């Protein structure tokens, strides 16, 4: 029998789950005296004020599955009877104070350039050097301060914080390096003490997390030129630009509410759609074939884990190279609703994960905010709207309470008629109106 303890062990703590989320889960049962996030293991340890409050919490969650941000977490008594300072540093992380920080950034939706990172970390002291890189664990950064005290202040103040609303979460530890070696001053690395470094090795294109290299590095016209024009500073973190698989398998769909056109509306944000097929023997599965591998990679990267109609989507590459034509296959290859036939570079720049705000275009000139709200509010409470004109054309921003509501509005209302005009909807990267 598991020994009772006032320390609770929590598993399956994803990087999207914050310390505050865990506090809210357990605070109704009593005072929490310590909380340790074991980020490297997707786990956490919480110490309640006494054993009885821990017992009450675990008894309750033995009958009710605890869920945070759509993710099931699993709780049990810890083998620790007490969390000590040693326990809090038992994550296998760098905990010896150092003026160099190793920062892992989770759920990256926006480009993490040196300038962005310098803006975040410089309030805590003089930043001498920054180096960014992509590892299998995700996007990481090394930041060297002039003083150890500055690094310690930044770690204490920024650990677990998001750079942007709801994304780009910082996981910070001390590095074991003595000095950062910076060879180039560009968007991926910078030596602020030596502004005379070259931007790249002569005769070579810049390499690193954001390299738009490989088969998508060619300048000029056509699809590759559009990609290069859209990402002149390098591809977004997590996008390799080397995928050549065009067909995507989408699972955990809500079969009662999904159809091919709704999937088209969602996936066409990331590229042109060739075909879509719902799998009749697996009603919650579908295949989506994009025009090329880069567009498929964008869709997989940005839509994996998105919520739609109460279900968290699983989005992966299919083993099938393409979707065969047939009575159950919907062909969209000639659809004028494909978004990347024109202004492809502009559309690539706007690719992102689902957000709480959507952007409406091709609106009728005489449309009102009330008409827009009437058209969309069935999908969730609308927090704010903004109607504006750009290049003589009416457009609007609509802010919902959460990403799922905005996603539902997009998949259901993109390409519908409002005031006699066929409106187009995409996600907006703005956080407020």
């Amino acid at each position: 029998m598991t020994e009772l303890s006032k320390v609770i062990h929590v598993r399956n703590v994803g990087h999207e789950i914050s310390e505050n989320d865990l506090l809210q889960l357990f605070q109704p049962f009593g005072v929490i005296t310590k909380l340790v996030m074991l980020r490297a293991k997707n786990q956490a340890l919480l110490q309640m004020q006494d054993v009885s409050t821990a017992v009450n919490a675990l008894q309750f969650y033995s009958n009710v599955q605890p869920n945070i941000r759509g993710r099931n977490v699993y709780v049990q008594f810890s083998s620790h009877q007490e969390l000590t300072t040693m326990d809090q540093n038992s994550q296998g992380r760098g905990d010896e104070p150092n003026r160099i920080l190793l920062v892992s950034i989770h759920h990256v939706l926006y480009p993490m350039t040196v300038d962005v990172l310098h803006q975040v970390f410089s309030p805590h002291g003089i930043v001498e050097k920054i180096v960014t890189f992509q590892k299998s664990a995700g996007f990481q950064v090394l930041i060297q301060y002039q003083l150890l005290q500055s690094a310690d202040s930044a770690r204490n103040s920024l650990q677990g914080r998001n750079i942007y609303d709801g994304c780009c979460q910082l996981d910070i530890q001390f590095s074991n390096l003595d000095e950062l070696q910076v060879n180039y001053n560009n968007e991926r690395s910078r030596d602020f003490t030596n502004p005379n470094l070259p931007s790249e090795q002569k005769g070579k294109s810049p390499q690193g997390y954001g390299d738009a290299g490989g088969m998508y590095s060619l300048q000029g016209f056509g699809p590759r030129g559009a990609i290069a024009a859209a990402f002149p500073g390098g591809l977004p973190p997590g996008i390799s630009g080397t995928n050549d698989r065009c067909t995507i398998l989408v699972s955990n769909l809500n079969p009662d509410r999904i159809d091919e056109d709704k999937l088209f509306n969602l996936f066409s944000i990331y590229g042109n759609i060739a075909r879509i097929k719902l799998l009749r023997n697996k009603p919650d599965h579908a295949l989506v074939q994009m025009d090329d591998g880069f567009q498929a990679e964008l869709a997989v990267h940005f839509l994996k884990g998105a919520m739609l109609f109460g279900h968290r989507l699983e989005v992966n590459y299919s083993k099938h190279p393409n979707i065969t034509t047939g009575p159950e296959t919907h062909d969209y290859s000639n659809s004028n609703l494909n978004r990347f036939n024109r202004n492809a570079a502009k559309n690539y720049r706007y690719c992102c994960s689902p957000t709480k705000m959507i952007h409406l275009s091709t609106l009728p000139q005489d449309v009102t905010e009330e008409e827009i709200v009437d058209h969309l509010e069935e999908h969730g409470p609308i927090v704010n709207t903004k109607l504006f004109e750009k290049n003589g054309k009416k457009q609007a921003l609509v802010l919902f309470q959460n990403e799922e509501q905005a996603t539902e509005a997009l998949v259901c209302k993109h390409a519908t008629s409002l005031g006699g005009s066929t409106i187009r909807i995409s996600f907006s990267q703005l956080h407020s109106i």
Side-chain angles (χ1 to χ4, degrees), residues 3-8 26 29 48 50-62 77:
E3 187 175 358
L4 301 183
S5 168
K6 61 182 176 182
V7 181
I8 297 173
F26 288 96
F29 302 96
M48 307 298 290
D50 50 46
V51 173
S52 63
T53 54
V55 170
N56 290 339
L58 263 61
Q59 283 180 341
F60 179 82
Y61 287 126
S62 66
F77 289 114

Side-chain angles (χ1 to χ4, degrees), residues 59-263:
Q59 283 180 341
F60 179 82
Y61 287 126
S62 66
N63 298 313
V64 177
Q65 172 63 57
N67 184 286
I68 304 176
R69 297 182 182 270
R71 177 191 287 263
N72 287 340
V73 296
Y74 304 96
V75 298
Q76 63 190 51
F77 289 114
S78 170
S79 57
H80 299 270
Q81 288 297 310
E82 186 94 18
L83 287 182
T84 64
T85 304
M86 181 65 71
D87 293 325
Q88 296 191 46
N89 291 336
S90 65
Q91 304 179 45
R93 302 160 54 102
D95 287 291
E96 185 68 32
N98 189 352
R99 68 191 181 114
I100 301 176
L101 298 176
L102 173 61
V103 184
S104 300
I105 305 182
H106 306 294
H107 197 42
V108 177
L109 302 188
Y110 303 106
M112 289 290 103
T113 64
V114 162
D115 291 329
V116 169
L117 293 161
H118 188 265
Q119 186 177 353
V120 172
F121 284 88
S122 60
H124 299 278
I126 296 174
V127 175
E128 292 185 334
K129 301 175 183 179
I130 297 178
V131 176
T132 67
F133 50 97
Q134 186 77 32
K135 289 284 193 180
S136 58
F139 184 70
Q140 295 186 310
V141 189
L142 286 165
I143 297 175
Q144 179 174 312
Y145 280 97
Q146 187 180 70
L147 300 174
L148 184 150
Q149 293 94 320
S150 301
D152 191 50
S153 170
R155 184 178 188 244
N156 290 333
S157 299
L158 297 175
Q159 169 61 20
R161 300 276 297 277
N162 292 335
I163 294 179
Y164 296 104
D165 183 26
C167 67
C168 304
Q169 186 184 51
L170 300 172
D171 187 14
I172 307 173
Q173 64 189 77
F174 292 114
S175 170
N176 56 9
L177 297 176
D178 296 321
E179 184 76 25
L180 283 188
Q181 179 67 39
V182 178
N183 298 317
Y184 310 110
N185 284 339
N186 52 38
E187 288 194 342
R188 294 169 298 284
S189 64
R190 189 81 52 84
D191 185 344
F192 295 95
T193 67
N194 184 5
N196 297 319
L197 287 176
S199 61
E200 59 187 82
Q201 186 175 341
K202 199 168 183 180
K204 286 192 176 183
S205 63
Q207 299 295 317
Y209 85 91
D211 180 23
M215 59 183 176
Y216 293 109
S217 64
L218 300 180
Q219 301 289 334
F221 298 98
R224 298 182 181 185
I227 295 165
F231 308 109
L235 297 178
I239 303 294
S240 70
T242 59
N243 172 62
D244 59 359
R245 292 167 289 182
C246 299
T247 304
I248 298 167
L249 176 65
V250 192
S251 59
N252 202 33
L253 294 163
N254 185 331
D256 296 325
R257 300 193 62 187
I258 201 67
D259 59 38
E260 291 86 352
D261 288 345
K262 290 186 176 70
L263 284 173

Side-chain angles (χ1 to χ4, degrees), residues 298-410:
L298 289 174
V300 170
H301 177 75
F302 287 120
L303 288 179
K304 187 183 289 287
M307 292 294 296
L308 178 61
F309 300 132
H311 290 214
R312 188 172 296 278
L313 302 184
E314 285 293 331
V315 186
N316 298 288
Y317 300 111
S318 170
K319 63 182 180 181
H320 302 287
N322 51 57
I323 302 174
T324 55
T325 57
E328 294 185 346
T329 299
H330 284 229
D331 194 309
Y332 294 92
S333 55
N334 296 317
S335 173
N336 60 4
L337 294 175
N338 270 317
R339 305 173 192 242
F340 287 72
N341 293 325
R342 294 183 299 173
N343 298 324
K346 179 181 177 182
N347 284 315
Y348 281 129
R349 279 195 294 271
Y350 291 144
C351 288
C352 63
S353 291
T355 62
K356 293 185 282 190
M357 191 181 300
I358 56 175
H359 173 256
L360 282 66
S361 58
T362 62
L363 291 166
Q365 285 298 111
D366 59 350
V367 72
T368 65
E369 289 191 9
E370 290 74 18
E371 289 174 321
I372 293 171
V373 170
D374 287 343
H375 193 64
L376 298 174
E377 64 182 350
E378 67 178 287
H379 303 293
I382 293 174
V383 177
N384 203 358
T385 61
K386 181 180 180 181
L387 192 59
F388 60 98
E389 192 166 305
K390 187 175 182 180
N391 299 327
K393 297 179 179 179
K394 279 290 180 72
Q395 301 181 32
L397 293 171
V398 178
L399 179 64
F400 285 86
Q401 285 186 340
N402 59 51
E403 291 85 354
E404 184 178 4
Q405 295 164 354
T407 305
E408 180 179 321
L410 184 148

